[in-house]
Every structure is written in C-alpha cells, then in structure tokens.
Amino acid sequence: MNETLGLPELDRDLDLTPTGGAEGDDERRFAADLPGGWSVGGGINGGFLLALLGEAVRRTVPERPDPVTLAATYVGASTAGPAEVVTRVLRHGTLTSVAVELSQGGALRISALATFSDLTLLSDEVATTGEPPALPPVEECPVSSDAPPEFRRLAPLVERFEMRFDPACAGWVAGRPSGRGELRAWFRFPDREPDPLALLMVADAMPPVTFDLGRPGWAPTVQLTVHVRAVPADGWLRLRQHTRNVAGGFFEEDCEIWDSAGRLVAQARQLARVPRA
Amino acid sequence: MNETLGLPELDRDLDLTPTGGAEGDDERRFAADLPGGWSVGGGINGGFLLALLGEAVRRTVPERPDPVTLAATYVGASTAGPAEVVTRVLRHGTLTSVAVELSQGGALRISALATFSDLTLLSDEVATTGEPPALPPVEECPVSSDAPPEFRRLAPLVERFEMRFDPACAGWVAGRPSGRGELRAWFRFPDREPDPLALLMVADAMPPVTFDLGRPGWAPTVQLTVHVRAVPADGWLRLRQHTRNVAGGFFEEDCEIWDSAGRLVAQARQLARVPRA
C-alpha cells in the first residue's frame, strides 16, 4: 500500500487492512500479508507475530496504544502469505484487555490475551534490583550475519535487524557452545528506534538459547508471555536470554530487554520444545 | 453435592456442575460456587481460580488431564458465590489448547489460554541448572498462621494449607521486611498430595513479594502465566518467590515450585500492581 512507502521496514510489514468492524467497535477484523522476510525455519518468527497482534490491538483501542502484557499460545506455525487477525475487547479501563487471534486459511495459528495501556501515564518509580547484562563494546561483538550460512538461509529474520552477540556466549556460531544456556547481545533496528510495540518483536528475536547448549535447530514456542515495563529510550538495546530448566523435552526461555538508559523495559518468558537431536 | 463428601478440601472446592455441552464437545459450560475460604482481601485467590479454570479444561479434554501452561488475564476481582466457567477447545493434539473464561453475574472476571497434555508421557530428560531454595528444616520455619491477625482475617486462604516461611525472609511478619524482594517457604496441603492441577493453586499461594519490600497490602494480579514442568513427587513442596523489577507502579513476581525429589515442577510469573502506600 502506497501510504506505507518510506516507513521503517518493521512498520511497513506490520501493515493491516481493516476488513470488519468500525473504529470504536469492540470487535475488529484485519487482513495481513505475512512477509517471508521474518521467517525462521519455514515459519514466521513468533516475535514478529506478537508485534502484529499488538498492532491489531492498538488499532482496536488507539487510546491505549502500548502493550503491557501479551500472552500468546502458538497453536500452529504461521507461514508467509495472507492471514486474518481478529480482536475482541474484554474490558476497557486504564488497563484495557483484548483477546486477539491470528488465522490462516481458516486455521487458527495463535490465540493471545493482551493488556494495553498508555505507558507514558505510569509513575516514575523505578526500584529495579536486576542488573543489565555486562556486554563488551558493540564493535567487539560479532553481528548475527556472521552466523553459519545454513542458519542465515533458514532464518532471513536475522537480516531484519542488527544483533551483536557477546563473544563469551557466541561459541555456538563456531560449534563451541558454552553449555551455560545463556545468550547476550546488543540489538537495534537499522531504520527506527525501539518503542513498546517493537519490543514484542525483540522479545523473541534471539536464536533459541538451546543453541548455547549444543542443541541447534528449531525450538517451537508453545507459549510466550511478554511484559513491557517502560517506554524504551532511543539507542541500542541489550538482550539477555537464558534457561534454567531443560526437562521432559521442553525448556523455559527468559528474555530481558534493557534500554540504553539502563532500564529493564521488557521481560519475556516462553515455554518451547527442545529441538530434536 | 454428595459425591464430593470425603474428598480433600481443594478437590471438593473445585467442584463444577456441567450446564452446557456434552462430554466430548469442544465447548462446555460449568457452574461453580466460589468458596469464601479461598479469599484474600475480599477477592478469591488467583491461584485457586487458576486451578478451577484448569479443572474445567480437564473436564473438557479428559484425555489431556495435566496443565502444561496456563496464562490468565485478570479482568476483574472474583468474589465468593456463583460463577460460570466456559471452555472452548482451540486445538486437539499431544498438546491440546483450550480457551477458558470465568464470569460472575455475566461480568467477565478472568480470560485464560491453557495448554494441556499428559505429563506422564514426557521424556525423562532433566537438565535443570536452577537450584532449589535452601530452606531450614520445616520445624524451624514459622507457619503462615503466625502471620499478623489482620492478615489472617483478610486472608482466610492461609487456613487452606500449611505454609512455613524461611525465617530469613519472614521478617515482614514482625514489621521488619528484608527489602530483598524474596520469600521462601515449605508448602503442603493438609489432606492431599500435590498434583499438576494443584500446582496452579500453589503458584499464587504466597503473599505478594512486596511484603518483603515493606509494601504490605493487596497486590492485584494483572496477568499470571504458569508452566507446569513435571508431575510433583509426594511430600513437601519448596517455594521461592522473588521480584527484580518494581517500576511504574507494577512488579513482576516469579514463583518457583520444587518438589520433594528436588525437581523444579512449576515456574510461574505474574505482573501485579504495587500495593498503594
């Protein structure tokens, strides 16, 4: 669509066409065209899909433009091509709750529950005891496009942003995973600053933490919950992703997003399947 | 109902009466009567409500009896009395996905997305790097019924189980919170062993971690996601609850549940409002 020309890539790709309901209605429908550029291993990246769901929610409740929580159940893999997004407001308030689902060809792919608000209205109180990840300077960290070619081919996603891995936990790139189950990286979009909606994408942008455990391969997300805690400052984001409990064929993956002002702006946790050996 | 006589208290209180749909249908309705004994501060405990939603899901998909993930958005406080629970299966599979909502008097209280399976079918692989909380022996830990009387009056919930707090982070009982934002405790039901469904209740059984930050009071849950990772062994459970990011009037609260065999059997995270000063 012409009006999206000149927009940053993420914003252009989050384009939605209203197909049902009118502005102000509690139930809306939108058509989307999932771009193959956000693929990983044949499916569309779960973080991009979260941001797309978030965009549909924002279009439904524009007076509450920012995600506070988004909890998604991945029912099936989404692929490049047409999709439908349906929203349903559950409650209006300072915190507005919205159910949102994404389908393709009539088959449900993701069902999610969102809580949106206006993050600029929150109190200024900050009492964070967590520490941002200690990362070497950006220029000392290899970029994600240095990942093995077979990974880049499977994941055109990595061309959508600049992710620079802490060398201390990037040994998996050269087949030497640390075994600690932790990834740390700098992150930025090439053509835009971060905002609360974009953090939904960033929350699932890193490779599976199982890469650092010597278990490369696709780790399908079962469930992913993101809490967006503040409007991020401009500049590089710092990401830390780790797991503490690989068991029964599943693992939890916690992702923290810190902004350039040293603020913990998002916390995400997913349950995913351990890649098959 | 007579058939519930002699059951443990939790199981008796999770009683549901089918009111719509038949066994095997993808959409079911149930009537419940929320018991005041599970109240905290005038509302019904969020963990008990999760277990009730889980029970409705189990009744809907009995071939997948165990919760794997349950992600709930708390739209409004639930109170003692009649309630309606509606389930809708989103997908059948090894992992079965179900949407479930609880209403009272036609007003939505909780909307949730569940993933259920049969946890006894999971692989035996365990590679947990997390450590169970170091707790003094049970008999050295004060029981929750030692909490201040004004707390017990507000929270009849604490009479439903035996929770024994690690004295090192129970100073808030005597008005001397540690300020670390951490609670640790032993937990058991008086009349039953833990099982996967009961872990949903346990995941929100502790007082808000803000008690340990000198911010007592009700901390309303906005969103709560529980991952149940294994069938718990019989015996005492160990709980650790902590926060790392109190900001903007909200805090995240992570709760780990470890069983008597030293296994991390559930991981929960909620976003809650900081109690008003």
Side-chain angles (χ1 to χ4, degrees):
Chain A
M1 278 164 249
N2 289 333
E3 70 265 32
T4 66
L5 286 175
L7 282 178
E9 184 172 40
L10 176 64
D11 305 74
R12 197 169 63 232
D13 287 347
L14 292 178
D15 189 39
L16 290 168
T17 304
T19 56
E23 279 185 36
D25 285 0
D26 277 354
E27 301 197 20
R28 301 284 307 270
R29 290 177 176 271
F30 303 92
D33 190 21
L34 307 183
W38 295 91
S39 296
V40 185
I44 301 291
N45 169 256
F48 174 81
L49 295 169
L50 273 200
L52 188 71
L53 298 181
E55 175 65 14
V57 173
R58 180 155 66 175
R59 297 277 292 266
T60 305
V61 290
E63 71 284 5
R64 296 287 177 265
D66 300 320
V68 175
T69 70
L70 189 46
T73 297
Y74 291 80
V75 172
S78 301
T79 51
E84 183 179 49
V85 184
V86 179
T87 58
R88 174 171 59 97
V89 179
L90 303 176
R91 181 192 55 179
H92 292 279
T94 309
L95 297 177
T96 284
S97 304
V98 182
V100 54
E101 294 192 334
L102 184 143
S103 303
Q104 289 191 293
L108 180 66
R109 304 296 200 212
I110 308 180
S111 186
L113 293 166
T115 307
F116 269 53
S117 189
D118 181 342
L119 286 175
T120 64
L121 300 179
L122 296 191
S123 86
D124 291 333
E125 173 200 32
V126 180
T128 303
T129 56
E131 294 284 340
L135 285 166
V138 167
E139 55 277 13
E140 294 175 19
C141 295
V143 298
S144 48
S145 53
D146 284 349
E150 67 273 20
F151 178 71
R152 296 207 312 276
R153 198 168 50 243
L154 283 169
L157 171 72
V158 300
E159 317 290 342
R160 306 278 82 72
F161 44 74
E162 187 175 358
M163 189 181 288
R164 291 180 164 268
F165 291 102
D166 182 345
C169 39
W172 55 271
V173 173
R176 293 187 300 273
S178 82
R180 283 191 304 266
E182 179 171 353
L183 301 174
R184 298 187 295 266
W186 297 98
F187 179 100
R188 69 175 175 188
F189 294 102
D191 53 3
R192 80 195 303 278
E193 294 296 344
D195 63 15
L197 195 82
L199 295 182
L200 298 176
M201 189 277 129
V202 182
D204 195 29
M206 293 193 106
V209 72
T210 36
F211 276 43
D212 189 48
L213 295 172
R215 310 279 288 262
W218 189 42
T221 302
V222 176
Q223 199 277 335
L224 171 56
T225 301
V226 184
H227 298 170
V228 178
R229 302 298 304 277
V231 178
D234 285 357
W236 284 95
L237 298 170
R238 281 170 289 178
L239 314 185
R240 175 176 183 255
Q241 185 156 289
H242 72 295
T243 187
R244 300 171 68 238
N245 192 22
V246 179
F250 295 87
F251 65 104
E252 106 284 15
E253 182 172 83
D254 283 359
C255 180
E256 291 180 358
I257 308 176
W258 296 78
D259 74 3
S260 64
R263 182 129 183 214
L264 180 49
V265 293
Q267 294 168 284
R269 174 175 289 171
Q270 65 176 273
L271 186 73
R273 279 185 192 273
V274 175
R276 290 198 176 81
Chain B
M1 277 158 251
N2 289 330
E3 69 266 34
T4 66
L5 285 175
L7 283 178
E9 185 173 39
L10 176 64
D11 304 74
R12 198 170 61 230
D13 288 347
L14 292 178
D15 190 39
L16 290 169
T17 304
T19 55
E23 277 183 37
D25 286 359
D26 277 354
E27 300 197 19
R28 302 284 307 272
R29 289 177 176 271
F30 304 92
D33 191 21
L34 307 183
W38 295 91
S39 296
V40 185
I44 302 291
N45 168 255
F48 174 81
L49 295 169
L50 272 199
L52 188 71
L53 297 182
E55 175 66 14
V57 173
R58 180 154 68 175
R59 296 278 291 267
T60 305
V61 290
E63 70 285 3
R64 296 287 177 264
D66 301 319
V68 175
T69 69
L70 188 46
T73 298
Y74 291 80
V75 172
S78 301
T79 51
E84 183 179 47
V85 183
V86 178
T87 57
R88 175 171 58 98
V89 178
L90 303 176
R91 181 191 58 178
H92 292 279
T94 309
L95 297 177
T96 284
S97 304
V98 182
V100 54
E101 293 192 335
L102 184 144
S103 303
Q104 290 192 291
L108 181 66
R109 303 296 200 213
I110 309 181
S111 185
L113 293 166
T115 306
F116 269 53
S117 189
D118 181 342
L119 287 175
T120 65
L121 300 179
L122 297 191
S123 86
D124 291 334
E125 173 200 31
V126 180
T128 303
T129 55
E131 295 283 341
L135 285 165
V138 168
E139 55 277 12
E140 294 175 19
C141 295
V143 299
S144 47
S145 53
D146 285 348
E150 66 272 21
F151 177 71
R152 297 207 312 277
R153 198 169 49 242
L154 283 169
L157 171 73
V158 300
E159 317 289 340
R160 306 278 81 71
F161 44 73
E162 187 174 357
M163 188 181 288
R164 290 179 164 269
F165 291 102
D166 182 346
C169 39
W172 54 271
V173 173
R176 293 187 300 273
S178 83
R180 283 191 305 267
E182 179 171 354
L183 300 175
R184 298 187 295 268
W186 296 97
F187 179 100
R188 69 175 176 188
F189 293 104
D191 52 3
R192 80 194 305 275
E193 294 295 344
D195 62 14
L197 195 82
L199 295 182
L200 298 175
M201 189 274 129
V202 181
D204 195 29
M206 293 191 107
V209 73
T210 36
F211 277 44
D212 188 47
L213 296 173
R215 309 279 289 260
W218 190 41
T221 301
V222 175
Q223 198 277 335
L224 171 55
T225 301
V226 185
H227 298 171
V228 178
R229 302 299 304 278
V231 178
D234 286 356
W236 284 95
L237 300 169
R238 280 169 289 180
L239 314 184
R240 175 176 183 257
Q241 185 156 288
H242 72 295
T243 187
R244 301 170 68 240
N245 192 23
V246 179
F250 295 87
F251 65 104
E252 106 285 14
E253 182 171 83
D254 283 359
C255 180
E256 292 180 356
I257 307 176
W258 297 77
D259 74 3
S260 64
R263 184 133 183 212
L264 181 48
V265 292
Q267 293 168 284
R269 175 176 288 172
Q270 66 175 273
L271 185 72
R273 278 185 192 273
V274 175
R276 291 198 176 81

